[in-house]
Amino acid sequence: MNKMTLTGQGLPYAQNQEVTMSSLEMVAYINSDRRSKAEADGLEFPCKQYPRLQHKHFLAKVPKVLGSEHSAKFLAQYIDSTGRSLPSYQFLKREACLMAMSYSYELQAAIYDYMEELDRQRGGYLSHTISELQQIVTAARKHSDEDSSDAGRRLRKRQDDLPLLNKAEYLVESLGQLKLSFGKESGDDK
């Protein structure tokens, strides 16, 4: 499977709120996957082998995959770039995976992994923004620098602090450099 990256809208989920994925996000992700496969095969995107999925075609497939009654539970609206209110879906993990599986098992696995990560983030381990994490680490380093100015007993503490501070700075820097490209495609490809 080609390496695919997923990102959501960047909105934090409340502790008790279930994570969801919109039909627009799924279409953008599927097109991103198709683009990466086409490029890996040395082809232009879109092409005959890797066509661009349009949102309206995805919408037509939803009732066929989930059933008319069940799919109606996930109906939503979005406002397009011209201000029109248009239909979409907002899927829970199970339904997002079923829709992805209707395209490929690779997509299903990637969507499942993405939504699992959103669940973990919702649990709070990434409840701070990158900027907040950078401020926390900077403040900790400053405190450690000031604290170590009292020679002797604090020097030992400083020696213990440095590896942790270096690791924290490295992790925050790594998080800040993650390539999050999912959902970047224009929503005008409906």
Side-chain angles (χ1 to χ4, degrees):
M1 178 174 153
N2 292 320
K3 181 164 173 117
M4 297 176 277
T5 53
L6 280 172
T7 65
Q9 298 294 341
L11 301 173
Y13 285 94
Q15 199 75 326
N16 60 353
Q17 183 182 2
E18 290 191 68
V19 296
T20 61
M21 188 172 197
S22 75
S23 54
L24 292 168
E25 290 173 309
M26 290 194 72
V27 168
Y29 180 71
I30 291 167
N31 283 329
S32 175
D33 176 53
R34 289 179 178 182
R35 177 184 303 279
S36 69
K37 287 179 178 179
E39 289 171 356
D41 290 348
L43 301 170
E44 292 288 320
F45 178 79
C47 62
K48 187 174 182 176
Q49 189 173 349
Y50 301 104
R52 180 180 308 279
L53 178 61
Q54 293 183 356
H55 189 245
K56 65 183 178 183
H57 296 139
F58 184 87
L59 292 179
K61 189 173 185 176
V62 173
K64 295 173 187 169
V65 174
L66 300 180
S68 297
E69 253 182 66
H70 189 66
S71 64
K73 298 174 189 174
F74 304 99
L75 277 173
Q77 297 286 313
Y78 76 98
I79 307 297
D80 73 359
S81 59
T82 65
R84 295 178 299 171
S85 180
L86 297 171
S88 66
Y89 287 94
Q90 197 67 36
F91 301 113
L92 295 173
K93 185 185 331 182
R94 177 183 181 274
E95 287 70 23
C97 288
L98 288 170
M99 286 306 302
M101 185 172 42
S102 74
Y103 289 92
S104 78
Y105 292 122
E106 287 176 325
L107 282 171
Q108 179 194 11
I111 298 288
Y112 178 83
D113 291 344
Y114 167 68
M115 294 192 82
E116 281 292 301
E117 181 60 25
L118 287 179
D119 267 341
R120 279 190 287 282
Q121 290 176 17
R122 179 187 62 156
Y125 92 78
L126 277 181
S127 60
H128 295 288
T129 65
I130 299 298
S131 176
E132 290 170 329
L133 289 172
Q134 288 169 334
Q135 291 171 358
I136 291 167
V137 171
T138 300
R141 174 154 313 264
K142 182 179 178 190
H143 176 72
S144 180
D145 289 345
E146 292 169 355
D147 198 32
S148 67
S149 63
D150 272 273
R153 68 177 172 84
R154 294 190 179 182
L155 181 58
R156 176 67 184 138
K157 184 177 182 313
R158 169 79 168 161
Q159 289 171 340
D160 293 340
D161 287 348
L162 284 176
L164 291 173
L165 286 169
N166 289 336
K167 185 174 183 178
E169 287 171 338
Y170 171 77
L171 290 173
V172 170
E173 183 179 333
S174 296
L175 282 172
Q177 293 179 7
L178 286 176
K179 179 176 169 71
L180 304 174
S181 63
F182 175 70
K184 297 280 190 215
E185 289 199 10
S186 169
D188 298 327
D189 293 327
K190 289 136 207 96

